[in-house]
Amino acid sequence: MGCGTSVATETQGKIIETDDTVKTPCPALTMKAAVLIQRWYRRYMARLEMRRRYTWNIFQSIEYAGEQDQLQLSSFFSFMLDNFTQLNENGPDLISQLLDPVVDPWLGRETGYNLIPVPESYSGPRLSFPLSVSDTSALLGAFKEQQTLHARYVLQLLYETKKLLKQMPNITHLSTSYTNEITICGDLHGRLDDLLLIFYKNGLPSAETPYVFNGDFVDRGKKSIEVVVLLFAYLLLYPDYMHLNRGNHEDHIMNLRYGFTREVMQKYKTHGREILQLFQDVFSLLPIATVIDGKILIVHGGISDQTNLDFLSSIERHKVKSALRFPRRSLEQLDIGQSCSQMKRGRSTASSRPSSSCSHSKDHRTPSQRKRRCGNRRQDSTVSTSSSSSSSSSSSSLCSPRTPSSLSPHPCPSPRMPCNVNVLQVPFLDSLSSVAPPLPPQQDLEWKQIVDILWSDPKTQEGCSPNIFRGGGCYFGPDVTQRLLLKHGLQLLIRSHECKQEGYELCHGGQVITIFSASNYYEEGSNRGAYIKVGRELVPRFYQYQVSRTTRKLTLTQRVRVAEGSALKALKEKLFSHRSELLSGLQQYDHKNTGNVSVSEWAQVLESVLRLDLPWRTLRPHLARLAPDGSVEYKSCFEDMDSGIPLPQVTPNMAETLFRYRTDIEIIFNIIDKDHSGLISVEEFRHTWRLFSAHLGVDIDDRAIDDLARSIDFNKDGSIDFTEFLEAFRVVHKLDNKDQQLNEKMNGDRCS
Amino acid sequence: MAESKQSAEVTVSDVHKTIRAAFEAFDYESNNTVDVREIGTIIYSLGCFPTQADLHDLIAEVEEDHTGFIQLDSFLPVMSKVLLEHKFPPIPEDLLLQAFEVLDKEKKGYLEPEELMKYMTQEGELFTQEEMDEMLTALADHEKNVVFYKDLISQLTIDPDM
């Protein structure tokens, strides 16, 4: 060892000289030592960075895959609603139950709050309208103390907000000449801590501190109600200084899945439904865009090549209640019957889904084309907008969103179905329905314009392509941005919608800024949040922050480890819920039934079945064991996971289906359960299950369903507690306890 | 003879796959290029311990015309050679310990943050302020506010095989 010997010789050689002085090692040695330590440390950090990046990829892939599922479910709902009235003469009118008809929002539901008594014992804020500063202060104080605002005040607040929003145009125009700098915030997703931190750092909304909040106030986080109540309260207090844009999560169907509905029903058991109804109206009345000084356009998602701000200004925005309810179509336009039966014939039993391109309806692109964005970029040094204010990031960022490089034309789903390029292939559950391109009816155009604004993402390549990954909106290229900005005399597009590691990111040569304000979005320490300030000179300045829940600061190592653990858990659940398909794919490479395949084969099967673009080889050590000869023991993937409560009537295949579609089933149940009691009737359960499994093409015996229904009706009163039912299909990680102990031990050993 | 040749081939192809996987993580546009500033991370993640000088040399070999980008085609052969020849081997723990001990002149068994900062930001291949801050946050014992390097070395050199 070169260095080792040199230490000995050099110290020996220099001993006489350095004896009298403090034992300073010779400079050359110090330098060598320093270089060694630096080298080691840099490498360690790089490894950490890699892990963090992979973790990020996992979260993003799963998130986007989940959102895509969501859209499929909704297209199913829409179709059913538009075309069927009753499934079964004897059964309940399930479809009409599925979604409330669009009732004129100006009727009813208004002054009911007056009749709601507020008990003496209620110690929370008692709002008086019109709101004053003392009311908003009371709200801030109460929410910091974990108090809940009484339903009566929530309803009144919503009603007043609705009245106010009705008067607002679709696009809000602001001017910096009357105000100081305007602060622009991105997604909050129910993170009250982030909102409070922003208010603390930047000041409460006021004439001196005007704000624009760019959508996605609710869902995912646990305090969506508090966040949105505060935002609306300030809106009512200072309508000239507080501005809100609608986001894709200000949408009652999204709320069903992503947590807002659940939060409302849990916190407001009696009046939850009314509150949700009002939220539905208020959300659809939120303005869709804000323009500052005629130069900066702020929208939640992005734009498309069809975006027309003049047209957008003129439409009736409240008519688009939900982006996930497609405008009505007639049966002729939907070629669903043919494709549906096609799929059914293609399926054998519930045990395996054929992996032919026929059923790969979710995504036709090859994995490399589906690459999602990595939340780490380097700052493009040629970008003129400054980001110097307080961006002290350990990893700088590039300005090139990762996008599909080219969308290959869809492989023809089957020889029988005509592969007409003009026909849209709308994924719906696991089948494809051919939809003729939308006709010009006003409804369709309006719907598309709004969905584009709320759901689109920027990409690096030129052009505008459908955002198949999200299931709505577009991918828009720098040329689309350029054209729109030019057309309307704008210079900058500010949008949100995507989580960025540093809280913000520039692209399209600095013409597009993404701003995201929910720190630690995926996991503690996963990302910073940020906000933008613009003054009269219209140069954006960025301010970053990160909420830390623990009192002592987590080191990067700890953060990475925690985030990684979470991500891997989520990933393993995905594996588990696709077990039979994975096994059948793997067994095709394992003719001798040894239980082993090569690493390449393993990676390939996982990639094609799960359709998540992840570095499987690198992740392999966390997911599966290697045999002594270097091959993968593929069954080891599933070893440490199991289902919750075993129900004897549930066959393994049924269990898997339930795992996979657990969230979707939950949504359906939530919709059916009108009074949100947590119970549905046995009959409704049967209906739902049959409906759902029919469209999945999963053959489940009617009798099996009946048996199951009966068995879950634990107290035999004809109703099923579906929360309990769903609990049974939650994936349990057997090693959970062990992991926890290990983590605690490691934390204890650390010198912090 | 045939067997050893086969195993040699397997090794090379495996090396290629590993390099590709690491490269792809930074290939945002899926066109087999990465920004040159990410190369360091890629090389480190492949198990190598180059110095900054080594990195510069490697990049010079691989980068074309100062475009700021590196092509997989250029990178793959060079990196494969590095891996197969074990060019930048890991630093053995005891060596690292000796390095720390050199800096710990008074042989206290720990380093004060200021001491470490002085060395890292003034000697060798200097740390930036950011790197220094992160190192101190990561390595310093929060209570006593010193760096117990002996404990660290064993903890931090064991990282999962990624």
Side-chain angles (χ1 to χ4, degrees):
Chain A
M1 280 199 285
C3 202
T5 42
S6 72
V7 169
T9 43
E10 284 193 69
T11 43
Q12 288 211 344
K14 300 279 182 198
I15 264 182
I16 303 161
E17 292 165 46
T18 60
D19 219 1
D20 302 325
T21 64
V22 181
K23 307 148 210 111
T24 325
C26 73
L29 189 60
T30 310
M31 198 202 73
K32 269 202 165 104
V35 170
L36 199 76
I37 295 172
Q38 286 153 344
R39 184 153 63 108
W40 158 77
Y41 183 74
R42 284 182 168 127
R43 199 229 158 209
Y44 167 72
M45 289 305 288
R47 297 275 280 203
L48 210 59
E49 172 65 21
M50 265 321 230
R51 280 165 68 188
R52 204 195 43 72
R53 217 169 265 246
Y54 290 141
T55 302
W56 184 272
N57 281 354
I58 294 174
F59 279 130
Q60 275 214 319
S61 304
I62 294 184
E63 179 185 17
Y64 289 135
E67 284 188 3
Q68 201 182 29
D69 289 346
Q70 170 60 19
L71 214 75
Q72 295 192 358
L73 186 73
S74 308
S75 67
F76 158 54
F77 282 153
S78 292
F79 172 75
M80 299 302 287
L81 187 68
D82 294 346
N83 293 284
F84 296 166
T85 50
Q86 274 199 331
L87 268 189
N88 176 349
E89 290 83 42
N90 300 327
D93 189 350
L94 188 67
I95 306 306
S96 63
Q97 279 189 45
L98 278 179
L99 290 167
D100 281 330
V102 179
V103 170
D104 187 337
W106 318 139
L107 294 177
R109 307 195 214 125
E110 287 178 351
T111 51
Y113 62 81
N114 274 325
L115 304 169
I116 300 175
V118 181
E120 286 286 313
S121 54
Y122 169 70
S123 58
R126 290 167 188 260
L127 305 177
S128 60
F129 292 80
L131 292 179
S132 64
V133 174
S134 55
D135 291 304
T136 48
S137 303
L139 283 172
L140 278 170
F143 292 156
K144 284 181 193 165
E145 301 294 315
Q146 327 284 340
Q147 287 181 324
T148 306
L149 182 66
H150 195 276
R152 180 244 156 79
Y153 297 117
V154 176
L155 288 167
Q156 193 170 5
L157 182 83
L158 288 173
Y159 169 59
E160 293 295 325
T161 308
K162 190 168 119 174
K163 268 202 307 191
L164 178 65
L165 289 175
K166 267 193 235 175
Q167 297 163 21
M168 289 185 180
N170 297 345
I171 302 183
T172 310
H173 289 271
L174 299 181
S175 167
T176 53
S177 47
Y178 300 121
T179 62
N180 296 318
E181 289 179 306
I182 301 178
T183 307
I184 303 157
C185 300
D187 296 24
L188 284 170
H189 281 300
R191 307 297 169 100
L192 182 63
D193 288 343
D194 286 88
L195 181 60
L196 293 176
L197 187 57
I198 294 173
F199 284 163
Y200 177 71
K201 273 178 70 120
N202 194 52
L204 293 172
S206 65
E208 292 78 46
T209 321
Y211 278 92
V212 177
F213 282 91
N214 199 15
D216 278 11
F217 321 125
V218 298
D219 278 338
R220 297 192 199 272
K222 301 234 179 340
K223 300 232 165 168
S224 299
I225 299 174
E226 285 76 11
V227 166
V228 84
V229 161
L230 278 173
L231 293 178
F232 289 167
Y234 277 108
L235 178 69
L236 289 170
L237 180 63
Y238 295 130
D240 294 330
Y241 309 127
M242 182 70 161
H243 311 279
L244 307 176
N245 280 350
R246 188 178 184 185
N248 66 313
H249 278 264
E250 274 70 56
D251 178 324
H252 64 288
I253 299 189
M254 292 295 276
N255 300 151
L256 277 168
R257 185 181 212 201
Y258 289 104
F260 183 53
T261 309
R262 194 179 313 134
E263 186 187 325
V264 172
M265 292 316 301
Q266 278 172 357
K267 287 181 178 164
Y268 296 103
K269 296 204 181 349
T270 322
H271 297 285
R273 220 168 144 240
E274 290 162 65
I275 293 177
L276 285 170
Q277 287 286 26
L278 258 183
F279 266 118
Q280 190 177 328
D281 297 340
V282 170
F283 284 164
S284 68
L285 279 166
L286 286 168
I288 40 186
T290 301
V291 176
I292 299 180
D293 287 354
K295 294 273 169 223
I296 300 181
L297 174 64
I298 310 174
V299 293
H300 175 73
I303 55 176
S304 74
D305 53 0
Q306 312 274 313
T307 297
N308 182 331
L309 294 181
D310 302 317
F311 180 60
L312 269 169
S313 303
S314 67
I315 65 181
E316 291 181 282
R317 65 182 188 271
H318 69 273
K319 286 215 171 129
V320 181
K321 278 264 180 292
S322 164
L324 305 179
R325 277 197 61 183
F326 300 160
R328 295 170 169 262
R329 299 201 192 291
S330 65
L331 257 177
E332 298 91 63
Q333 287 181 292
L334 271 166
D335 206 2
I336 182 58
Q338 187 186 0
S339 53
C340 204
S341 53
Q342 198 76 42
M343 294 307 130
K344 280 191 187 157
R345 246 171 277 143
R347 289 187 211 299
S348 43
T349 58
S351 58
S352 68
R353 298 221 316 273
S355 52
S356 64
S357 60
C358 200
S359 56
H360 266 218
S361 53
K362 281 189 186 175
D363 203 309
H364 321 283
R365 293 171 288 164
T366 61
S368 61
Q369 290 171 327
R370 263 188 290 118
K371 267 192 180 156
R372 287 308 304 170
R373 288 137 232 220
C374 187
N376 314 282
R377 305 288 144 63
R378 294 191 190 257
Q379 210 66 43
D380 192 336
S381 53
T382 62
V383 166
S384 55
T385 50
S386 85
S387 56
S388 55
S389 293
S390 43
S391 49
S392 56
S393 46
S394 48
S395 69
S396 36
S397 36
L398 249 178
C399 172
S400 48
R402 201 180 216 186
T403 51
S405 50
S406 69
L407 296 175
S408 63
H410 311 308
C412 214
S414 94
R416 263 182 264 202
M417 268 170 86
C419 200
N420 185 353
V421 172
N422 284 335
V423 172
L424 277 173
Q425 298 288 336
V426 178
F428 121 178
L429 293 179
D430 289 338
S431 55
L432 281 171
S433 70
S434 311
V435 183
L439 304 171
Q442 188 76 347
Q443 237 181 345
D444 282 2
L445 281 180
E446 288 180 5
W447 177 84
K448 182 179 184 342
Q449 287 274 332
I450 291 191
V451 171
D452 285 345
I453 294 278
L454 299 182
W455 283 77
S456 300
D457 293 313
K459 61 170 176 171
T460 27
Q461 291 82 26
E462 310 232 310
C464 188
S465 42
N467 195 328
I468 304 180
F469 218 80
R470 294 256 196 195
C474 300
Y475 285 122
F476 60 99
D479 54 327
V480 179
T481 303
Q482 178 89 321
R483 234 177 292 130
L484 184 87
L485 293 182
L486 215 62
K487 177 172 173 188
H488 294 283
L490 301 161
Q491 71 191 37
L492 179 61
L493 170 65
I494 297 180
R495 43 90 63 176
S496 304
H497 199 38
E498 286 180 289
C499 182
K500 296 296 176 190
Q501 202 207 326
E502 293 301 321
Y504 72 96
E505 190 176 281
L506 280 74
C507 65
H508 292 187
Q511 292 191 311
V512 175
I513 298 177
T514 303
I515 185 76
F516 194 83
S517 300
S519 64
N520 307 330
Y521 182 62
Y522 290 126
E523 184 53 79
E524 178 79 29
S526 66
N527 64 287
R528 289 187 163 103
Y531 55 88
I532 299 174
K533 295 195 78 133
V534 276
R536 219 162 297 172
E537 78 288 1
L538 297 182
V539 172
R541 297 207 314 282
F542 302 91
Y543 293 81
Q544 295 168 300
Y545 54 85
Q546 198 157 14
V547 167
S548 170
R549 255 157 282 273
T550 53
T551 46
R552 64 177 165 78
K553 199 172 164 209
L554 286 179
T555 65
L556 184 59
T557 313
Q558 288 167 318
R559 278 185 275 141
V560 170
R561 193 171 274 142
V562 168
E564 199 182 29
S566 257
L568 288 170
K569 224 173 169 175
L571 192 55
K572 282 187 197 168
E573 285 181 15
K574 269 248 161 213
L575 259 76
F576 191 68
S577 64
H578 287 79
R579 176 163 51 174
S580 49
E581 213 180 321
L582 284 169
L583 283 174
S584 77
L586 288 160
Q587 271 151 6
Q588 287 182 16
Y589 287 102
D590 182 23
H591 298 292
K592 293 186 193 156
N593 231 352
T594 56
N596 296 359
V597 294
S598 76
V599 178
S600 308
E601 290 162 346
W602 181 83
Q604 199 171 325
V605 172
L606 257 71
E607 173 84 63
S608 66
V609 169
L610 296 177
R611 288 165 300 193
L612 290 173
D613 182 26
L614 294 171
W616 294 108
R617 305 172 141 265
T618 325
L619 295 170
R620 198 264 329 139
H622 295 278
L623 299 173
R625 240 194 342 254
L626 281 184
D629 66 354
S631 62
V632 178
E633 292 177 12
Y634 54 83
K635 289 186 188 153
S636 60
C637 299
F638 311 109
E639 264 172 14
D640 63 343
M641 287 179 291
D642 210 345
S643 58
I645 311 153
L647 284 171
Q649 289 77 6
V650 178
T651 60
N653 296 319
M654 193 175 175
E656 212 177 289
T657 310
L658 281 161
F659 273 124
R660 202 181 310 189
Y661 296 103
R662 196 179 167 285
T663 321
D664 297 335
I665 296 171
E666 192 174 356
I667 297 177
I668 299 181
F669 281 154
N670 274 322
I671 296 175
I672 295 173
D673 178 25
K674 283 296 172 208
D675 59 4
H676 295 272
S677 57
L679 303 170
I680 57 172
S681 76
V682 173
E683 185 54 45
E684 285 166 332
F685 174 81
R686 262 202 224 108
H687 247 302
T688 311
W689 190 243
R690 248 185 244 127
L691 192 74
F692 201 70
S693 57
H695 282 271
L696 284 180
V698 173
D699 282 332
I700 288 184
D701 193 56
D702 268 4
R703 220 163 9 149
I705 297 177
D706 285 349
D707 283 346
L708 179 62
R710 238 172 290 129
S711 70
I712 325 171
D713 179 5
F714 296 120
N715 47 7
K716 306 291 166 233
D717 64 350
S719 64
I720 293 170
D721 183 336
F722 62 82
T723 316
E724 279 189 29
F725 172 69
L726 289 172
E727 265 309 302
F729 298 100
R730 189 187 288 284
V731 178
V732 166
H733 296 262
K734 289 194 213 154
L735 294 182
D736 247 354
N737 288 335
K738 284 194 206 160
D739 271 351
Q740 244 176 1
Q741 286 169 19
L742 186 65
N743 270 333
E744 273 153 31
K745 183 173 186 297
M746 293 214 73
N747 284 334
D749 286 357
R750 288 197 155 280
C751 349
S752 43
Chain B
M1 259 296 255
E3 269 181 5
S4 64
K5 190 175 179 194
Q6 195 174 36
S7 61
E9 279 173 27
V10 164
T11 316
V12 169
S13 115
D14 277 346
V15 160
H16 279 187
K17 283 190 182 135
T18 316
I19 297 174
R20 251 183 243 277
F23 195 86
E24 270 170 22
F26 297 84
D27 178 15
Y28 303 123
E29 312 205 8
S30 309
N31 57 0
N32 291 329
T33 35
V34 302
D35 187 303
V36 67
R37 292 167 288 185
E38 315 262 37
I39 280 288
T41 311
I42 298 178
I43 295 176
Y44 283 126
S45 77
L46 289 167
C48 300
F49 281 78
T51 63
Q52 300 288 74
D54 296 328
L55 273 180
H56 280 136
D57 293 340
L58 231 153
I59 290 175
E61 238 184 288
V62 174
E63 190 187 6
E64 305 176 344
D65 307 328
H66 308 288
T67 51
F69 286 101
I70 295 197
Q71 303 282 343
L72 180 59
D73 298 335
S74 325
F75 185 65
L76 198 62
V78 174
M79 197 62 219
S80 304
K81 196 151 169 268
V82 164
L83 287 183
L84 291 167
E85 291 176 8
H86 304 290
K87 258 195 185 161
F88 306 118
I91 301 170
E93 269 185 42
D94 48 354
L95 199 59
L96 193 57
L97 186 59
Q98 279 184 39
F100 273 107
E101 283 172 347
V102 164
L103 301 185
D104 180 16
K105 307 166 289 196
E106 290 142 40
K107 307 284 171 262
K108 309 186 292 292
Y110 59 83
L111 283 170
E112 305 273 348
E114 300 78 39
E115 270 183 285
L116 187 57
M117 190 178 317
K118 188 180 75 145
Y119 288 122
M120 294 291 102
T121 55
Q122 292 174 22
E123 297 275 357
E125 295 180 325
L126 314 183
F127 268 5
T128 62
Q129 189 55 45
E130 262 185 87
E131 282 178 302
M132 194 63 240
D133 291 341
E134 181 56 51
M135 187 187 212
L136 285 175
T137 317
L139 304 193
D141 175 315
H142 285 238
E143 275 164 48
K144 311 218 176 91
N145 201 27
V146 293
V147 180
F148 288 103
Y149 49 82
K150 246 190 202 166
D151 300 332
L152 291 177
I153 292 173
S154 46
Q155 271 181 13
L156 295 177
T157 43
I158 302 169
D159 62 343
D161 166 30
M162 270 205 88

